Amino acid sequence: MVDTIKPEITESALDLVGNTPLLALDRLWPGPGRLLAKCEFLSPTHSVKDRSALFMIKNARKAGKLKPGGPVVEVTSGNQGCGLAFVCSVLGHPLTVTMSKGNSPQRAIMMRALGANLLLADQVDGQPGNVTISDVQAAEKAAMDIIEKTGSYYVDQFNNYDNCLSHEETTGPEIWRQTGHRVDAFVAAVGTSGTLTGVSRYLKSVKPDIHCVAVEPEGAQVIAGKQITNPLHLMQGSGYGRVQPLFEYEVVDESIAVSNEEAVKYRKLLGEKEGLFLGFTSGGNVAASIKLLQSGKLPKDAWVVTVLCDSGLKYPD
Ligand SMILES: Cc1ncc(COP(=O)(O)O)c(C=O)c1O
């Protein structure tokens, strides 16, 4: 007799990216309304940046900008580098990443474990755990030097539209499907703005009156048009103090500020009430979502979707 049971095999770790669960945070926010969150910490390198890594590398290969086995360079706060290290290791591209010394050492350990060559740039005016735009620019300069010498493919997450497309073509449609088309608002912290712009573009295309929100660290609210008074915030990977090239005002309705204390408070509550150990932008996203739910701007029974961006294991204590 022929066995008709089909094997259930995942062909490579690349197939583990995306289609993350949409989790109800009902213990943290029992209502009114509902707070739902995309579980991006479940991705192979435990962050939302695996999606953009996969899209940017696959599309560069498709367009012939990156040849099979060709070398790749990127500047990162860590999560994009981890995502690229994972994608490049599966597809066989040598990867060099430059990162500010101010980013967490846990990310450096992970990138190296995934086979990336890591170059750490000295901080200009930040401190360990607080990375400023000048610190990022120092890491960018180091990357440019390598590209000049080696001719490597430069991923350029801050200017690469495939970063947005990864969310416009995957995260956005997933949210629309998973909410059964009844999402009222989307809330996300802004690093490169790939997540916020991509998801908002998709959701606005299917539901023009959806409310899309940028989360900014208090004192670094450049999208809101305010002076920077606190560049040294805790929301690592976001809030770089400049309106990013991929940010689009046309698809974003407002910016909500979150203090360090609020990000820490909700990060802790995510652990204590929902059993999830996550990073600071996850805490910030939840804090901003709850402010929105309490604001009276949305219907009482509104569904707000946000992002649990990365694992708490990526940070020192
Ligand atoms: C922890 C964390 N949260 C949020 C973001 C923001 O994501 P995006 O670059 O899509 O705006 C990043 C980006 O690196 C990140 O590392």
Side-chain angles (χ1 to χ4, degrees):
M1 217 176 92
V2 181
D3 194 344
T4 54
I5 297 173
K6 274 200 184 146
E8 291 177 32
I9 294 165
T10 303
E11 294 301 330
S12 87
L14 301 183
D15 297 328
L16 302 176
V17 179
N19 279 315
T20 52
L22 183 67
L23 181 69
L25 303 180
D26 291 345
R27 287 133 297 267
L28 206 158
W29 179 258
R34 215 148 188 222
L35 178 51
L36 308 167
K38 286 292 276 174
C39 295
E40 299 306 300
F41 61 93
L42 294 177
S43 199
T45 77
H46 315 294
S47 101
V48 66
K49 303 299 284 191
D50 286 355
R51 292 186 191 251
S52 51
L54 184 58
F55 249 66
M56 292 189 292
I57 293 297
K58 273 197 164 170
N59 285 354
R61 283 163 62 101
K62 234 188 258 168
K65 293 181 203 158
L66 174 61
K67 303 279 178 250
V72 176
V73 169
E74 180 59 319
V75 185
T76 182
S77 68
N79 276 337
Q80 187 68 87
C82 292
L84 285 167
F86 137 66
V87 172
C88 286
S89 86
V90 176
L91 293 176
H93 294 283
L95 171 70
T96 303
V97 281
T98 68
M99 181 171 98
S100 167
K101 279 186 185 161
N103 289 115
S104 74
Q106 281 73 6
R107 299 171 190 200
I109 292 166
M110 188 179 216
M111 282 186 270
R112 287 196 173 114
L114 295 173
N117 174 30
L118 181 62
L119 221 143
L120 293 175
D122 286 330
Q123 288 196 271
V124 179
D125 52 4
Q127 298 162 3
N130 307 110
V131 176
T132 66
I133 190 65
S134 310
D135 295 337
V136 174
Q137 281 162 348
E140 275 170 358
K141 164 91 181 54
M144 291 311 126
D145 292 346
I146 299 166
I147 290 161
E148 212 166 278
K149 280 188 203 131
T150 61
S152 299
Y153 171 69
Y154 179 35
V155 179
D156 198 8
Q157 58 167 325
F158 284 95
N159 294 289
N160 188 333
Y161 195 73
D162 287 327
N163 173 357
C164 293
L165 263 193
S166 68
H167 297 285
E168 198 170 337
E169 293 188 7
T170 71
T171 324
E174 286 169 31
I175 292 169
W176 187 235
R177 191 190 75 234
Q178 288 170 318
T179 56
H181 301 184
R182 64 152 299 189
V183 52
D184 296 290
F186 177 68
V187 176
V190 181
T192 61
S193 199
T195 311
L196 181 65
T197 300
V199 171
S200 301
R201 275 177 75 105
Y202 178 79
L203 291 177
K204 294 253 178 201
S205 76
V206 289
K207 185 174 183 177
D209 64 342
I210 191 164
H211 195 77
C212 294
V213 176
V215 180
E216 295 195 280
E218 202 171 275
Q221 297 147 252
V222 287
I223 292 167
K226 298 196 174 165
Q227 288 284 330
I228 298 175
T229 54
N230 176 29
L232 304 182
H233 59 80
L234 281 179
M235 283 171 51
Q236 212 183 111
S238 80
Y240 288 119
R242 69 178 174 199
V243 179
Q244 301 294 356
L246 296 178
F247 181 81
E248 291 178 8
Y249 277 101
E250 306 77 63
V251 293
V252 176
D253 297 282
E254 67 168 323
S255 149
I256 293 181
V258 168
S259 67
N260 282 345
E261 293 71 28
E262 287 166 332
V264 168
K265 173 183 163 184
Y266 282 98
R267 181 183 184 228
K268 193 160 177 278
L269 283 173
L270 280 161
E272 291 170 357
K273 294 211 178 256
E274 301 288 351
L276 301 172
F277 183 43
L278 303 168
F280 292 95
T281 54
S282 301
N285 279 348
V286 167
S289 300
I290 288 177
K291 285 186 184 187
L292 179 63
L293 280 157
Q294 289 171 330
S295 69
K297 287 177 192 159
L298 301 177
K300 258 213 145 44
D301 61 350
W303 283 13
V304 172
V305 174
T306 193
V307 186
L308 302 177
C309 305
D310 71 352
S311 162
L313 293 170
K314 293 214 171 198
Y315 301 82
D317 211 14

